[in-house]
Amino acid sequence: MQRRSRRMIEGLEKAPHRSLFKAMGYTDEELAKPIIGVVNAGNELIPGHIHLDRITEAVKAGVRMAGGTPMEFRVIGMCDGTAMHHEGMKYSLMSREVIADSIEVMAMGQPFDGLVLVTNCDKIIPGMLMAAMRLNIPSIIVSGGPMLAGMWEGKKVDLISVFEGVGAVKAGKMTETQLAELENAACPGCGSCAGMFTANSMNCLSETIGLALPGNGTIPAVSAARIRLAKKAGMQIMRLVEKDIKPRDIATLEAFENAIAVDMALGCSTNTVLHLMAIAHEAGVPLSLKTFDEMSRRVPHICSLRPGGPHFLEDLDRAGGIPAVMKEISKKDLLHLNVLTVTEKTVGENIALAKNKDKTVIRPIDDPYEPEGGLAILYGNLAPEGAVIKQSAVSAQMRAFTGRARVFDSEEEATQAILEGKIKAGDVVVIRYEGPKGGPGMREMLTPTSAIVGMGLDKEVALITDGRFSGGTRGAAIGHVSPEAAAGGPIALIQEGDLIEINLPEKRLELKVSEEELQQRRAAWKPLPPKIKAGYALRYAKMVSSASEGAILKL
């Protein structure tokens, strides 16, 4: 099979093309080798990406060692933490599609023989994986690794500790001086934030699907092992090119089911539901909320990681990482072991020698934290198409809860009410018109949920939204309520004081209002005008699908 890169390199008529490459210093010897596109998401805006130039150089070294010629290009990336709680967060999920599209453009304009995707944080990882599926040329993803936990007043802390500290100051439980000290200690250096938040969730699941090397999800950013892994990824892409092993050969339905199984065992971010469905869509693999619901009921929760538990990614790495988690759940036949991976081996072969080195971090399959998975899918008259909750981060007394609706049409309004002490025990905070279309962009709600926790209300107050949550959210926080308010979903019909029932054991989310009353409200309902009236956000709002379909763009 002729290599793709020959289309722009070989033959008499490609002399002008070769001349342009030589203008950049490439030699005939380099141009004769397989050409590997190395996609670098490094920038000076994201702690998880500040060191990606070094990771990228290691990848390129690996490519050269294995006989290839690396050619680097960049993609955008934004930090959800610094975009939180202002208009910038509307563009976070939107950026996933821009990243996928831009990689497609580059790899079609310059036909590489293979791709190495260097990434680390929230939307960049799924955007890169979507591009890999769409292009379907030999590809491997390598992350920059997780941040170490910080230390403050003798305990481990992370970014979420700071978010929750804001609410603690408002509640008089912490001084502003203490918060400043925490602020300086919580994020000690480079890497994706230290808990099982969205970035680390997706890095772990990239490994689980089989599109990253073992260790990709958990080796700390500052470890030399992270550099060695990047070099190995650069070397391994050459093997994938040689054997023409492509992403869709690996990312089958069985591979996605493996990823969802590990997702449930770890208690990953609710955002994984959106992203796995979007990646599967690009791969042509049928995946729906039904699959997540089925796996949630079958796979026990065996790791209690931040924000729901005490452990950090560095702890999971020391305990054996994702291979050890997969080995543990495979004991109950919860994995497809014959699925191919980028190692050229099967999942079963990859985890054959894995060991659980710390059973306090990775619980034995027969002694789980909970018999069901970390995520749950809820249905009911308030969410006919489904809603998502990280049930592993919900306290026992909130697993079955009925409360009074406090209704807000934006995140800012709700956050102000929470911080001003207007939300009381027994309330259900409803934040609507923040979905994919209504936001637009389906903002994360880490600020209001952290404020609820910081003020000590997480065992007495719930929050539901057609928006989404950071992987750092904990408490009775239900997101992705579908259909969203902007599409006329039932969440748009809630009125102040309505009773809302949340029942995690029965997987139900109900608005305790008669159908006759809801019909009257529906007849009188009018959508809010678009919140953004120009540019990419407006185009996105017109094209984006429901969260229940992964918030993908449709023509």
Side-chain angles (χ1 to χ4, degrees):
M1 185 190 73
Q2 187 186 47
R3 298 201 302 266
R4 293 178 82 251
S5 63
R6 300 307 93 187
R7 302 172 195 170
M8 63 178 178
I9 296 296
E10 273 186 356
L12 178 66
E13 69 278 11
K14 296 302 188 300
H17 304 60
R18 293 191 295 272
S19 180
L20 289 168
F21 280 110
K22 288 177 180 179
M24 295 179 279
Y26 291 103
T27 65
D28 285 327
E29 290 77 9
E30 286 174 300
L31 297 179
K33 296 175 181 178
I35 294 176
I36 307 300
V38 181
V39 189
N40 180 4
N43 63 38
E44 297 180 350
L45 292 165
I46 313 176
H49 288 219
I50 192 70
H51 64 308
L52 288 191
D53 283 355
R54 188 177 179 210
I55 301 293
T56 300
E57 287 304 316
V59 166
K60 289 155 66 174
V63 170
R64 293 187 184 103
M65 284 190 288
T69 297
M71 294 186 181
E72 176 187 343
F73 66 92
R74 300 261 176 167
V75 292
I76 65 167
M78 59 185 287
C79 176
D80 281 15
T82 54
M84 200 72 66
H85 196 53
H86 59 82
E87 195 169 53
M89 177 50 75
K90 294 177 185 288
Y91 291 84
S92 173
L93 184 59
M94 294 186 206
S95 73
R96 185 186 72 179
E97 320 309 311
V98 175
I99 290 161
D101 290 350
S102 63
I103 295 171
E104 176 192 3
V105 166
M106 289 296 290
M108 294 304 294
Q110 287 80 35
F112 302 109
D113 297 308
L115 285 173
V116 183
L117 304 154
V118 183
T119 181
N120 213 25
C121 287
D122 293 36
K123 294 336 140 301
I124 302 95
I125 305 161
M128 287 188 169
L129 288 170
M130 289 165 67
M133 297 303 165
R134 192 182 300 172
L135 291 162
N136 202 34
I137 61 176
S139 302
I140 190 168
I141 195 162
V142 57
S143 81
M147 185 185 295
L148 296 177
M151 288 294 295
W152 180 70
E153 292 190 351
K155 62 181 180 181
K156 287 185 175 182
V157 292
D158 56 26
L159 178 67
I160 307 309
S161 308
V162 187
F163 270 98
E164 293 175 359
V166 175
V169 170
K170 289 285 187 179
K173 298 179 179 181
M174 179 185 286
T175 67
E176 290 191 33
T177 299
Q178 286 177 309
L179 180 59
E181 292 172 356
L182 175 59
E183 173 187 327
N184 288 329
C187 299
C190 66
S192 46
C193 297
M196 190 52 77
F197 315 139
T198 305
N200 290 326
S201 295
M202 289 308 303
N203 280 329
C204 289
L205 297 187
S206 299
E207 181 179 335
T208 307
I209 292 173
L211 291 167
L213 296 176
N216 182 73
T218 61
I219 296 173
V222 295
S223 172
R226 176 58 57 182
I227 299 299
R228 295 196 297 271
L229 185 79
K231 290 179 180 177
K232 289 178 181 178
M235 297 172 72
Q236 188 60 24
I237 189 61
M238 297 301 296
R239 297 277 299 167
L240 299 176
V241 168
E242 178 187 346
K243 295 192 173 183
D244 197 32
I245 298 174
K246 299 184 287 293
R248 294 191 192 182
D249 300 327
I250 293 168
T252 60
L253 177 59
E254 291 77 14
F256 281 101
E257 288 177 346
N258 283 350
I260 296 170
V262 173
D263 193 344
M264 297 303 167
L266 293 172
C268 288
S269 164
T270 53
N271 285 315
T272 58
V273 177
L274 285 176
H275 298 325
L276 287 176
M277 285 199 292
I279 297 162
H281 173 76
E282 295 289 356
V285 172
L287 199 61
S288 70
L289 286 180
K290 181 181 178 182
T291 309
F292 289 86
D293 185 37
E294 291 171 350
M295 296 300 285
S296 174
R297 296 170 191 268
R298 292 176 54 206
V299 182
H301 178 223
I302 64 172
C303 295
S304 188
L305 299 153
R306 287 280 291 165
H311 300 126
F312 294 81
L313 264 290
E314 61 199 73
D315 302 317
L316 181 59
D317 189 62
R318 284 193 293 266
I322 298 306
V325 174
M326 297 180 78
K327 183 72 170 286
E328 200 62 55
I329 64 174
S330 72
K331 295 175 182 177
K332 295 288 187 181
D333 296 324
L334 294 169
L335 291 179
H336 302 284
L337 298 178
N338 291 326
V339 173
L340 181 67
T341 73
V342 290
T343 65
E344 303 169 72
K345 299 177 182 178
T346 64
V347 168
E349 291 172 317
N350 284 348
I351 68 174
L353 300 179
K355 293 181 181 179
N356 184 349
K357 301 173 186 176
D358 189 340
K359 294 181 180 179
T360 66
V361 176
I362 305 172
R363 293 278 282 269
I365 193 72
D366 291 322
D367 183 28
Y369 286 97
E370 297 289 343
E372 291 191 347
L375 301 183
I377 309 300
L378 308 183
Y379 293 96
N381 70 342
L382 188 46
E385 294 177 4
V388 184
I389 186 170
K390 189 169 185 172
Q391 63 179 352
S392 59
V394 179
S395 60
Q397 56 266 53
M398 294 297 291
R399 296 178 69 83
F401 175 79
T402 299
R404 303 174 300 274
R406 301 295 311 280
V407 184
F408 304 93
D409 288 343
S410 73
E411 178 193 355
E412 288 84 357
E413 293 171 7
T415 301
Q416 182 178 354
I418 295 166
L419 293 176
E420 289 178 355
K422 296 179 180 178
I423 302 302
K424 306 297 182 183
D427 286 347
V428 178
V429 177
V430 177
I431 306 178
R432 61 191 182 190
Y433 294 100
E434 290 285 7
K437 292 181 180 295
M442 202 178 181
R443 282 194 290 183
E444 289 185 344
M445 304 290 167
L446 181 57
T447 298
T449 58
S450 296
I452 288 170
V453 173
M455 298 180 78
L457 293 171
D458 55 305
K459 296 178 175 62
E460 302 170 306
V461 169
L463 188 151
I464 69 170
T465 181
D466 52 9
R468 59 194 179 92
F469 297 113
S470 161
T473 288
R474 59 187 172 115
I478 300 169
H480 307 201
V481 173
S482 300
E484 63 176 290
I491 192 171
L493 309 179
I494 301 173
Q495 293 182 1
E496 192 81 5
D498 284 349
L499 291 180
I500 294 174
E501 181 188 2
I502 298 164
N503 193 314
L504 297 191
E506 297 181 8
K507 306 292 190 291
R508 286 193 296 108
L509 180 62
E510 297 284 344
L511 177 60
K512 310 301 283 185
V513 174
S514 70
E515 184 57 36
E516 292 76 17
E517 172 65 18
L518 289 178
Q519 287 178 2
Q520 292 177 15
R521 294 182 188 182
R522 189 173 287 112
W525 173 78
K526 293 181 180 179
L528 294 181
K531 293 181 180 178
I532 300 179
K533 298 178 174 62
Y536 175 53
L538 181 61
R539 296 198 304 275
Y540 180 92
K542 291 181 177 180
M543 298 173 67
V544 69
S545 75
S546 168
S548 64
E549 297 177 320
I552 58 173
L553 296 188
K554 291 187 174 181
L555 299 178

